[in-house]
């Protein structure tokens, strides 16, 4: 059994329950370096908990997901946040879900522009990286530490994502 999901444009407002959208929001901009640089300030915060936890920088080179795509699982990282910033300038998909008694609810799919990144707060249900169109690079800031920082849930049915126009 499957269910088809709708896709919404990503915005700070719709993503607020899940984390931050990292984009050049004029409301956050301050001029620095003698006016030669625009600083878009404090767009998100990295979280890292647990003994010996550290915030780390990574590069993810994601293969594109072929559409229609079946969302059959979600994951979350209890000990830290995880941000994704596209480096290839291409649109990509962000899939999150509210927590419902320790399991993810209905997946919510957002189409991110190539100049929009996101930061999942710790313990937010999300689908692993979903690049679109071509192999795409992302700067990923998340948490390293001794505790196991990955919880996965597999849905009893698949949710279909289709109809993205790039
Ligand atoms: N496993 C890993 O580092 N990546 C996932 O957490 C992801 O959200 O893509
Ligand atoms: Ni993740």
């Amino acid at each position: 059994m499957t269910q088809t999901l709708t896709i919404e444009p990503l915005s700070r407002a719709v993503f607020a329950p899940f984390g931050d959208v990292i984009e050049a929001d004029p409301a956050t901009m301050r001029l620095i370096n003698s006016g030669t640089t625009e600083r878009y300030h404090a767009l998100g915060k990295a979280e890292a908990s647990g003994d010996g936890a550290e915030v780390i920088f990574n590069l993810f080179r994601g293969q594109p997901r072929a559409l229609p795509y079946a969302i059959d699982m979600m994951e979350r990282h209890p000990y830290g946040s995880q941000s994704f910033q596209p480096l290839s300038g291409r649109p990509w998909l962000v899939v999150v879900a509210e927590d419902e008694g320790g399991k993810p609810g209905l997946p919510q799919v957002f189409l991110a522009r190539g100049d929009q990144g996101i930061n999942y707060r710790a313990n937010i249900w999300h689908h692993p990286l979903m690049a679109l169109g071509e192999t795409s690079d992302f700067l990923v800031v998340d948490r390293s530490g001794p505790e196991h920082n990955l919880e996965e849930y597999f849905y009893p049915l698949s949710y279909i994502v289709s109809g993205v126009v790039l």
Side-chain angles (χ1 to χ4, degrees):
M1 179 183 160
T2 63
Q3 179 178 337
T4 299
L5 299 171
T6 58
I7 302 175
E8 275 190 86
L10 180 68
S11 70
R12 295 174 73 85
V14 295
F15 197 71
F18 307 104
D20 313 292
V21 174
I22 303 172
E23 61 183 349
D25 176 359
T28 68
M29 195 280 280
R30 55 186 68 169
L31 277 178
I32 58 173
N33 302 342
S34 307
T36 64
T37 303
E38 296 174 353
R39 176 184 173 125
Y40 294 87
H41 182 69
L43 300 174
K45 290 182 184 170
E47 301 167 83
S49 62
D51 295 340
E54 293 180 316
V55 174
I56 56 173
F57 294 79
N58 315 272
L59 287 176
F60 281 26
R61 180 157 291 165
Q63 299 299 318
R65 304 290 183 160
L67 299 180
Y69 184 82
I71 301 281
D72 59 8
M73 63 82 64
M74 298 285 267
E75 63 171 39
R76 62 182 178 180
H77 309 299
Y79 290 97
S81 57
Q82 188 174 49
S83 75
F84 290 82
Q85 198 70 30
L87 302 178
S88 305
R90 266 185 295 281
W92 58 297
L93 288 182
V94 178
V95 183
V96 288
E98 300 277 2
D99 183 61
E100 293 178 0
K103 298 176 182 176
L106 181 70
Q108 298 180 50
V109 185
F110 300 108
L111 180 61
R113 300 190 312 263
D115 64 348
Q116 288 181 307
I118 55 91
N119 181 43
Y120 301 120
R121 277 196 290 276
N123 226 28
I124 290 294
W125 289 111
H126 61 278
H127 189 275
L129 176 59
M130 295 191 72
L132 292 175
E134 299 175 32
T135 298
S136 305
D137 287 354
F138 292 77
L139 173 66
V140 176
V141 180
D142 60 9
R143 175 259 189 209
S144 75
E147 296 86 355
H148 187 59
N149 191 30
L150 174 63
E151 180 182 355
E152 295 178 310
Y153 175 82
F154 291 84
Y155 287 114
L157 74 153
S158 291
Y159 295 96
I160 305 301
V161 178
S162 62
V164 176
V165 178
L166 292 182

PDB file of all heavy atoms in Angstrom, residues 66-99:
ATOM      1  N   ALA A  66      16.080   9.101  -7.792  1.00  0.00           N
ATOM      2  CA  ALA A  66      15.192   8.995  -8.962  1.00  0.00           C
ATOM      3  C   ALA A  66      13.750   9.138  -8.485  1.00  0.00           C
ATOM      4  O   ALA A  66      13.361   8.559  -7.466  1.00  0.00           O
ATOM      5  CB  ALA A  66      15.400   7.652  -9.648  1.00  0.00           C
ATOM      6  N   LEU A  67      12.995   9.952  -9.212  1.00  0.00           N
ATOM      7  CA  LEU A  67      11.577  10.162  -8.870  1.00  0.00           C
ATOM      8  C   LEU A  67      10.719   9.414  -9.873  1.00  0.00           C
ATOM      9  O   LEU A  67      11.128   9.314 -11.040  1.00  0.00           O
ATOM     10  CB  LEU A  67      11.248  11.660  -8.879  1.00  0.00           C
ATOM     11  CG  LEU A  67      12.040  12.524  -7.875  1.00  0.00           C
ATOM     12  CD1 LEU A  67      11.597  13.977  -7.999  1.00  0.00           C
ATOM     13  CD2 LEU A  67      11.901  12.035  -6.466  1.00  0.00           C
ATOM     14  N   PRO A  68       9.567   8.882  -9.505  1.00  0.00           N
ATOM     15  CA  PRO A  68       8.981   8.879  -8.161  1.00  0.00           C
ATOM     16  C   PRO A  68       9.830   8.065  -7.188  1.00  0.00           C
ATOM     17  O   PRO A  68      10.464   7.091  -7.601  1.00  0.00           O
ATOM     18  CB  PRO A  68       7.623   8.202  -8.342  1.00  0.00           C
ATOM     19  CG  PRO A  68       7.362   8.169  -9.820  1.00  0.00           C
ATOM     20  CD  PRO A  68       8.684   8.234 -10.504  1.00  0.00           C
ATOM     21  N   TYR A  69       9.870   8.506  -5.942  1.00  0.00           N
ATOM     22  CA  TYR A  69      10.717   7.883  -4.932  1.00  0.00           C
ATOM     23  C   TYR A  69       9.843   7.441  -3.752  1.00  0.00           C
ATOM     24  O   TYR A  69       8.952   8.175  -3.342  1.00  0.00           O
ATOM     25  CB  TYR A  69      11.767   8.890  -4.437  1.00  0.00           C
ATOM     26  CG  TYR A  69      12.749   8.302  -3.459  1.00  0.00           C
ATOM     27  CD1 TYR A  69      13.850   7.585  -3.898  1.00  0.00           C
ATOM     28  CD2 TYR A  69      12.555   8.437  -2.088  1.00  0.00           C
ATOM     29  CE1 TYR A  69      14.743   7.027  -2.997  1.00  0.00           C
ATOM     30  CE2 TYR A  69      13.436   7.879  -1.187  1.00  0.00           C
ATOM     31  CZ  TYR A  69      14.528   7.166  -1.652  1.00  0.00           C
ATOM     32  OH  TYR A  69      15.405   6.615  -0.751  1.00  0.00           O
ATOM     33  N   ALA A  70      10.130   6.284  -3.244  1.00  0.00           N
ATOM     34  CA  ALA A  70       9.335   5.748  -2.120  1.00  0.00           C
ATOM     35  C   ALA A  70      10.040   6.042  -0.803  1.00  0.00           C
ATOM     36  O   ALA A  70      11.138   5.544  -0.555  1.00  0.00           O
ATOM     37  CB  ALA A  70       9.132   4.244  -2.282  1.00  0.00           C
ATOM     38  N   ILE A  71       9.398   6.863   0.022  1.00  0.00           N
ATOM     39  CA  ILE A  71       9.899   7.124   1.380  1.00  0.00           C
ATOM     40  C   ILE A  71       9.400   5.975   2.255  1.00  0.00           C
ATOM     41  O   ILE A  71       8.207   5.834   2.485  1.00  0.00           O
ATOM     42  CB  ILE A  71       9.354   8.457   1.935  1.00  0.00           C
ATOM     43  CG1 ILE A  71       9.757   9.634   1.053  1.00  0.00           C
ATOM     44  CG2 ILE A  71       9.775   8.649   3.391  1.00  0.00           C
ATOM     45  CD1 ILE A  71      11.134  10.122   1.225  1.00  0.00           C
ATOM     46  N   ASP A  72      10.324   5.117   2.692  1.00  0.00           N
ATOM     47  CA  ASP A  72       9.862   3.981   3.511  1.00  0.00           C
ATOM     48  C   ASP A  72      10.510   3.971   4.888  1.00  0.00           C
ATOM     49  O   ASP A  72      10.263   3.073   5.689  1.00  0.00           O
ATOM     50  CB  ASP A  72      10.136   2.644   2.796  1.00  0.00           C
ATOM     51  CG  ASP A  72      11.620   2.455   2.492  1.00  0.00           C
ATOM     52  OD1 ASP A  72      12.442   3.277   2.970  1.00  0.00           O
ATOM     53  OD2 ASP A  72      11.969   1.502   1.778  1.00  0.00           O
ATOM     54  N   MET A  73      11.370   4.993   5.149  1.00  0.00           N
ATOM     55  CA  MET A  73      12.004   5.071   6.456  1.00  0.00           C
ATOM     56  C   MET A  73      12.344   6.505   6.803  1.00  0.00           C
ATOM     57  O   MET A  73      12.411   7.359   5.923  1.00  0.00           O
ATOM     58  CB  MET A  73      13.264   4.203   6.527  1.00  0.00           C
ATOM     59  CG  MET A  73      14.387   4.591   5.586  1.00  0.00           C
ATOM     60  SD  MET A  73      15.471   5.958   6.152  1.00  0.00           S
ATOM     61  CE  MET A  73      16.226   5.255   7.586  1.00  0.00           C
ATOM     62  N   MET A  74      12.543   6.748   8.102  1.00  0.00           N
ATOM     63  CA  MET A  74      13.015   8.035   8.580  1.00  0.00           C
ATOM     64  C   MET A  74      14.070   7.745   9.654  1.00  0.00           C
ATOM     65  O   MET A  74      14.163   6.636  10.184  1.00  0.00           O
ATOM     66  CB  MET A  74      11.877   8.861   9.174  1.00  0.00           C
ATOM     67  CG  MET A  74      10.782   9.204   8.166  1.00  0.00           C
ATOM     68  SD  MET A  74      11.253  10.502   7.021  1.00  0.00           S
ATOM     69  CE  MET A  74      10.581  11.905   7.919  1.00  0.00           C
ATOM     70  N   GLU A  75      14.852   8.771   9.963  1.00  0.00           N
ATOM     71  CA  GLU A  75      15.866   8.604  11.007  1.00  0.00           C
ATOM     72  C   GLU A  75      15.902   9.849  11.880  1.00  0.00           C
ATOM     73  O   GLU A  75      15.339  10.881  11.525  1.00  0.00           O
ATOM     74  CB  GLU A  75      17.242   8.372  10.379  1.00  0.00           C
ATOM     75  CG  GLU A  75      17.709   9.574   9.562  1.00  0.00           C
ATOM     76  CD  GLU A  75      19.152   9.456   9.111  1.00  0.00           C
ATOM     77  OE1 GLU A  75      19.588   8.363   8.750  1.00  0.00           O
ATOM     78  OE2 GLU A  75      19.831  10.491   9.123  1.00  0.00           O
ATOM     79  N   ARG A  76      16.597   9.743  13.008  1.00  0.00           N
ATOM     80  CA  ARG A  76      16.846  10.931  13.809  1.00  0.00           C
ATOM     81  C   ARG A  76      18.122  10.741  14.624  1.00  0.00           C
ATOM     82  O   ARG A  76      18.602   9.603  14.780  1.00  0.00           O
ATOM     83  CB  ARG A  76      15.671  11.270  14.729  1.00  0.00           C
ATOM     84  CG  ARG A  76      15.305  10.228  15.768  1.00  0.00           C
ATOM     85  CD  ARG A  76      14.084  10.695  16.567  1.00  0.00           C
ATOM     86  NE  ARG A  76      13.664   9.696  17.558  1.00  0.00           N
ATOM     87  CZ  ARG A  76      12.635   9.859  18.386  1.00  0.00           C
ATOM     88  NH1 ARG A  76      11.911  10.993  18.339  1.00  0.00           N
ATOM     89  NH2 ARG A  76      12.297   8.904  19.256  1.00  0.00           N
ATOM     90  N   HIS A  77      18.672  11.876  15.049  1.00  0.00           N
ATOM     91  CA  HIS A  77      19.955  11.871  15.766  1.00  0.00           C
ATOM     92  C   HIS A  77      19.724  12.480  17.154  1.00  0.00           C
ATOM     93  O   HIS A  77      19.640  13.707  17.289  1.00  0.00           O
ATOM     94  CB  HIS A  77      20.994  12.673  14.979  1.00  0.00           C
ATOM     95  CG  HIS A  77      21.081  12.259  13.545  1.00  0.00           C
ATOM     96  ND1 HIS A  77      21.440  10.989  13.152  1.00  0.00           N
ATOM     97  CD2 HIS A  77      20.800  12.935  12.408  1.00  0.00           C
ATOM     98  CE1 HIS A  77      21.384  10.921  11.832  1.00  0.00           C
ATOM     99  NE2 HIS A  77      20.994  12.067  11.356  1.00  0.00           N
ATOM    100  N   PRO A  78      19.617  11.619  18.168  1.00  0.00           N
ATOM    101  CA  PRO A  78      19.215  12.138  19.491  1.00  0.00           C
ATOM    102  C   PRO A  78      20.244  13.048  20.149  1.00  0.00           C
ATOM    103  O   PRO A  78      19.875  13.885  20.986  1.00  0.00           O
ATOM    104  CB  PRO A  78      19.004  10.867  20.320  1.00  0.00           C
ATOM    105  CG  PRO A  78      19.659   9.753  19.568  1.00  0.00           C
ATOM    106  CD  PRO A  78      19.693  10.153  18.131  1.00  0.00           C
ATOM    107  N   TYR A  79      21.517  12.901  19.755  1.00  0.00           N
ATOM    108  CA  TYR A  79      22.556  13.634  20.482  1.00  0.00           C
ATOM    109  C   TYR A  79      23.057  14.888  19.768  1.00  0.00           C
ATOM    110  O   TYR A  79      24.013  15.529  20.213  1.00  0.00           O
ATOM    111  CB  TYR A  79      23.761  12.705  20.746  1.00  0.00           C
ATOM    112  CG  TYR A  79      23.469  11.633  21.746  1.00  0.00           C
ATOM    113  CD1 TYR A  79      23.114  10.352  21.328  1.00  0.00           C
ATOM    114  CD2 TYR A  79      23.508  11.898  23.112  1.00  0.00           C
ATOM    115  CE1 TYR A  79      22.825   9.351  22.237  1.00  0.00           C
ATOM    116  CE2 TYR A  79      23.224  10.898  24.041  1.00  0.00           C
ATOM    117  CZ  TYR A  79      22.884   9.628  23.595  1.00  0.00           C
ATOM    118  OH  TYR A  79      22.584   8.641  24.509  1.00  0.00           O
ATOM    119  N   GLY A  80      22.453  15.210  18.655  1.00  0.00           N
ATOM    120  CA  GLY A  80      22.958  16.416  17.979  1.00  0.00           C
ATOM    121  C   GLY A  80      22.132  16.847  16.793  1.00  0.00           C
ATOM    122  O   GLY A  80      21.323  16.085  16.255  1.00  0.00           O
ATOM    123  N   SER A  81      22.377  18.101  16.427  1.00  0.00           N
ATOM    124  CA  SER A  81      21.720  18.653  15.232  1.00  0.00           C
ATOM    125  C   SER A  81      22.459  18.153  13.989  1.00  0.00           C
ATOM    126  O   SER A  81      23.538  17.545  14.081  1.00  0.00           O
ATOM    127  CB  SER A  81      21.761  20.181  15.295  1.00  0.00           C
ATOM    128  OG  SER A  81      23.121  20.627  15.403  1.00  0.00           O
ATOM    129  N   GLN A  82      21.893  18.426  12.834  1.00  0.00           N
ATOM    130  CA  GLN A  82      22.551  18.077  11.560  1.00  0.00           C
ATOM    131  C   GLN A  82      22.113  19.083  10.510  1.00  0.00           C
ATOM    132  O   GLN A  82      20.896  19.258  10.292  1.00  0.00           O
ATOM    133  CB  GLN A  82      22.181  16.664  11.120  1.00  0.00           C
ATOM    134  CG  GLN A  82      22.967  16.170   9.907  1.00  0.00           C
ATOM    135  CD  GLN A  82      22.691  14.731   9.592  1.00  0.00           C
ATOM    136  OE1 GLN A  82      21.526  14.304   9.517  1.00  0.00           O
ATOM    137  NE2 GLN A  82      23.749  13.930   9.413  1.00  0.00           N
ATOM    138  N   SER A  83      23.078  19.780   9.925  1.00  0.00           N
ATOM    139  CA  SER A  83      22.743  20.779   8.903  1.00  0.00           C
ATOM    140  C   SER A  83      23.263  20.324   7.544  1.00  0.00           C
ATOM    141  O   SER A  83      24.259  19.597   7.460  1.00  0.00           O
ATOM    142  CB  SER A  83      23.364  22.135   9.254  1.00  0.00           C
ATOM    143  OG  SER A  83      24.758  22.129   9.002  1.00  0.00           O
ATOM    144  N   PHE A  84      22.561  20.743   6.510  1.00  0.00           N
ATOM    145  CA  PHE A  84      22.941  20.457   5.122  1.00  0.00           C
ATOM    146  C   PHE A  84      22.918  21.768   4.347  1.00  0.00           C
ATOM    147  O   PHE A  84      21.891  22.457   4.337  1.00  0.00           O
ATOM    148  CB  PHE A  84      21.952  19.473   4.472  1.00  0.00           C
ATOM    149  CG  PHE A  84      22.036  18.080   5.023  1.00  0.00           C
ATOM    150  CD1 PHE A  84      21.391  17.743   6.193  1.00  0.00           C
ATOM    151  CD2 PHE A  84      22.766  17.106   4.367  1.00  0.00           C
ATOM    152  CE1 PHE A  84      21.468  16.466   6.719  1.00  0.00           C
ATOM    153  CE2 PHE A  84      22.853  15.817   4.869  1.00  0.00           C
ATOM    154  CZ  PHE A  84      22.204  15.495   6.055  1.00  0.00           C
ATOM    155  N   GLN A  85      24.018  22.128   3.717  1.00  0.00           N
ATOM    156  CA  GLN A  85      24.102  23.330   2.902  1.00  0.00           C
ATOM    157  C   GLN A  85      24.538  22.942   1.494  1.00  0.00           C
ATOM    158  O   GLN A  85      25.648  22.416   1.317  1.00  0.00           O
ATOM    159  CB  GLN A  85      25.109  24.323   3.503  1.00  0.00           C
ATOM    160  CG  GLN A  85      24.936  25.740   2.985  1.00  0.00           C
ATOM    161  CD  GLN A  85      23.651  26.388   3.499  1.00  0.00           C
ATOM    162  OE1 GLN A  85      23.191  26.092   4.577  1.00  0.00           O
ATOM    163  NE2 GLN A  85      23.069  27.255   2.692  1.00  0.00           N
ATOM    164  N   PRO A  86      23.673  23.118   0.479  1.00  0.00           N
ATOM    165  CA  PRO A  86      24.054  22.714  -0.875  1.00  0.00           C
ATOM    166  C   PRO A  86      25.206  23.543  -1.400  1.00  0.00           C
ATOM    167  O   PRO A  86      25.233  24.767  -1.240  1.00  0.00           O
ATOM    168  CB  PRO A  86      22.772  22.930  -1.682  1.00  0.00           C
ATOM    169  CG  PRO A  86      21.968  23.913  -0.907  1.00  0.00           C
ATOM    170  CD  PRO A  86      22.319  23.701   0.532  1.00  0.00           C
ATOM    171  N   LEU A  87      26.167  22.866  -2.017  1.00  0.00           N
ATOM    172  CA  LEU A  87      27.328  23.555  -2.598  1.00  0.00           C
ATOM    173  C   LEU A  87      27.259  23.570  -4.117  1.00  0.00           C
ATOM    174  O   LEU A  87      28.044  24.255  -4.778  1.00  0.00           O
ATOM    175  CB  LEU A  87      28.632  22.866  -2.156  1.00  0.00           C
ATOM    176  CG  LEU A  87      28.860  22.780  -0.647  1.00  0.00           C
ATOM    177  CD1 LEU A  87      30.165  22.029  -0.363  1.00  0.00           C
ATOM    178  CD2 LEU A  87      28.889  24.163  -0.011  1.00  0.00           C
ATOM    179  N   SER A  88      26.325  22.783  -4.656  1.00  0.00           N
ATOM    180  CA  SER A  88      26.252  22.658  -6.117  1.00  0.00           C
ATOM    181  C   SER A  88      25.210  23.589  -6.728  1.00  0.00           C
ATOM    182  O   SER A  88      25.026  23.607  -7.938  1.00  0.00           O
ATOM    183  CB  SER A  88      25.924  21.195  -6.485  1.00  0.00           C
ATOM    184  OG  SER A  88      26.868  20.321  -5.902  1.00  0.00           O
ATOM    185  N   GLY A  89      24.453  24.291  -5.884  1.00  0.00           N
ATOM    186  CA  GLY A  89      23.503  25.271  -6.413  1.00  0.00           C
ATOM    187  C   GLY A  89      22.249  24.662  -7.015  1.00  0.00           C
ATOM    188  O   GLY A  89      21.496  25.346  -7.718  1.00  0.00           O
ATOM    189  N   ARG A  90      22.008  23.366  -6.747  1.00  0.00           N
ATOM    190  CA  ARG A  90      20.814  22.723  -7.320  1.00  0.00           C
ATOM    191  C   ARG A  90      19.736  22.542  -6.255  1.00  0.00           C
ATOM    192  O   ARG A  90      20.044  22.360  -5.070  1.00  0.00           O
ATOM    193  CB  ARG A  90      21.206  21.328  -7.869  1.00  0.00           C
ATOM    194  CG  ARG A  90      21.556  21.319  -9.348  1.00  0.00           C
ATOM    195  CD  ARG A  90      21.791  19.893  -9.810  1.00  0.00           C
ATOM    196  NE  ARG A  90      22.970  19.331  -9.140  1.00  0.00           N
ATOM    197  CZ  ARG A  90      24.213  19.606  -9.525  1.00  0.00           C
ATOM    198  NH1 ARG A  90      24.433  20.435 -10.527  1.00  0.00           N
ATOM    199  NH2 ARG A  90      25.249  19.075  -8.905  1.00  0.00           N
ATOM    200  N   PRO A  91      18.476  22.546  -6.685  1.00  0.00           N
ATOM    201  CA  PRO A  91      17.396  22.264  -5.734  1.00  0.00           C
ATOM    202  C   PRO A  91      17.536  20.853  -5.163  1.00  0.00           C
ATOM    203  O   PRO A  91      18.203  19.991  -5.765  1.00  0.00           O
ATOM    204  CB  PRO A  91      16.128  22.377  -6.577  1.00  0.00           C
ATOM    205  CG  PRO A  91      16.518  23.126  -7.798  1.00  0.00           C
ATOM    206  CD  PRO A  91      17.972  22.841  -8.022  1.00  0.00           C
ATOM    207  N   TRP A  92      16.980  20.623  -4.010  1.00  0.00           N
ATOM    208  CA  TRP A  92      17.026  19.317  -3.348  1.00  0.00           C
ATOM    209  C   TRP A  92      15.795  19.164  -2.464  1.00  0.00           C
ATOM    210  O   TRP A  92      15.003  20.106  -2.296  1.00  0.00           O
ATOM    211  CB  TRP A  92      18.322  19.175  -2.564  1.00  0.00           C
ATOM    212  CG  TRP A  92      18.553  20.217  -1.510  1.00  0.00           C
ATOM    213  CD1 TRP A  92      18.715  21.568  -1.690  1.00  0.00           C
ATOM    214  CD2 TRP A  92      18.674  19.991  -0.104  1.00  0.00           C
ATOM    215  NE1 TRP A  92      18.912  22.198  -0.483  1.00  0.00           N
ATOM    216  CE2 TRP A  92      18.906  21.253   0.499  1.00  0.00           C
ATOM    217  CE3 TRP A  92      18.625  18.839   0.704  1.00  0.00           C
ATOM    218  CZ2 TRP A  92      19.081  21.381   1.880  1.00  0.00           C
ATOM    219  CZ3 TRP A  92      18.787  18.972   2.075  1.00  0.00           C
ATOM    220  CH2 TRP A  92      19.028  20.231   2.639  1.00  0.00           C
ATOM    221  N   LEU A  93      15.594  17.974  -1.947  1.00  0.00           N
ATOM    222  CA  LEU A  93      14.391  17.699  -1.148  1.00  0.00           C
ATOM    223  C   LEU A  93      14.745  17.535   0.317  1.00  0.00           C
ATOM    224  O   LEU A  93      15.750  16.910   0.668  1.00  0.00           O
ATOM    225  CB  LEU A  93      13.691  16.421  -1.641  1.00  0.00           C
ATOM    226  CG  LEU A  93      12.960  16.498  -2.987  1.00  0.00           C
ATOM    227  CD1 LEU A  93      12.291  15.155  -3.291  1.00  0.00           C
ATOM    228  CD2 LEU A  93      11.946  17.627  -3.016  1.00  0.00           C
ATOM    229  N   VAL A  94      13.870  18.091   1.155  1.00  0.00           N
ATOM    230  CA  VAL A  94      13.992  17.956   2.613  1.00  0.00           C
ATOM    231  C   VAL A  94      12.735  17.256   3.095  1.00  0.00           C
ATOM    232  O   VAL A  94      11.616  17.700   2.786  1.00  0.00           O
ATOM    233  CB  VAL A  94      14.119  19.343   3.275  1.00  0.00           C
ATOM    234  CG1 VAL A  94      14.190  19.217   4.797  1.00  0.00           C
ATOM    235  CG2 VAL A  94      15.340  20.083   2.737  1.00  0.00           C
ATOM    236  N   VAL A  95      12.878  16.160   3.798  1.00  0.00           N
ATOM    237  CA  VAL A  95      11.725  15.381   4.264  1.00  0.00           C
ATOM    238  C   VAL A  95      11.819  15.212   5.776  1.00  0.00           C
ATOM    239  O   VAL A  95      12.813  14.691   6.290  1.00  0.00           O
ATOM    240  CB  VAL A  95      11.677  13.992   3.599  1.00  0.00           C
ATOM    241  CG1 VAL A  95      10.424  13.232   4.039  1.00  0.00           C
ATOM    242  CG2 VAL A  95      11.699  14.119   2.076  1.00  0.00           C
ATOM    243  N   VAL A  96      10.804  15.675   6.482  1.00  0.00           N
ATOM    244  CA  VAL A  96      10.759  15.618   7.942  1.00  0.00           C
ATOM    245  C   VAL A  96       9.401  15.090   8.391  1.00  0.00           C
ATOM    246  O   VAL A  96       8.463  14.984   7.590  1.00  0.00           O
ATOM    247  CB  VAL A  96      10.996  17.014   8.560  1.00  0.00           C
ATOM    248  CG1 VAL A  96      12.452  17.453   8.409  1.00  0.00           C
ATOM    249  CG2 VAL A  96      10.066  18.057   7.969  1.00  0.00           C
ATOM    250  N   ALA A  97       9.301  14.775   9.690  1.00  0.00           N
ATOM    251  CA  ALA A  97       8.014  14.325  10.239  1.00  0.00           C
ATOM    252  C   ALA A  97       7.959  14.691  11.716  1.00  0.00           C
ATOM    253  O   ALA A  97       8.997  14.698  12.398  1.00  0.00           O
ATOM    254  CB  ALA A  97       7.844  12.814  10.063  1.00  0.00           C
ATOM    255  N   GLU A  98       6.759  14.966  12.183  1.00  0.00           N
ATOM    256  CA  GLU A  98       6.553  15.173  13.625  1.00  0.00           C
ATOM    257  C   GLU A  98       6.737  13.832  14.319  1.00  0.00           C
ATOM    258  O   GLU A  98       6.515  12.769  13.731  1.00  0.00           O
ATOM    259  CB  GLU A  98       5.120  15.682  13.866  1.00  0.00           C
ATOM    260  CG  GLU A  98       4.776  16.996  13.175  1.00  0.00           C
ATOM    261  CD  GLU A  98       5.230  18.234  13.957  1.00  0.00           C
ATOM    262  OE1 GLU A  98       5.849  18.062  15.029  1.00  0.00           O
ATOM    263  OE2 GLU A  98       4.982  19.354  13.465  1.00  0.00           O
ATOM    264  N   ASP A  99       7.129  13.896  15.601  1.00  0.00           N
ATOM    265  CA  ASP A  99       7.215  12.674  16.394  1.00  0.00           C
ATOM    266  C   ASP A  99       5.834  12.332  16.942  1.00  0.00           C
ATOM    267  O   ASP A  99       5.139  13.200  17.462  1.00  0.00           O
ATOM    268  CB  ASP A  99       8.191  12.863  17.568  1.00  0.00           C
ATOM    269  CG  ASP A  99       8.369  11.573  18.372  1.00  0.00           C
ATOM    270  OD1 ASP A  99       8.832  10.577  17.802  1.00  0.00           O
ATOM    271  OD2 ASP A  99       7.959  11.556  19.548  1.00  0.00           O
TER     272      ASP A  99
END
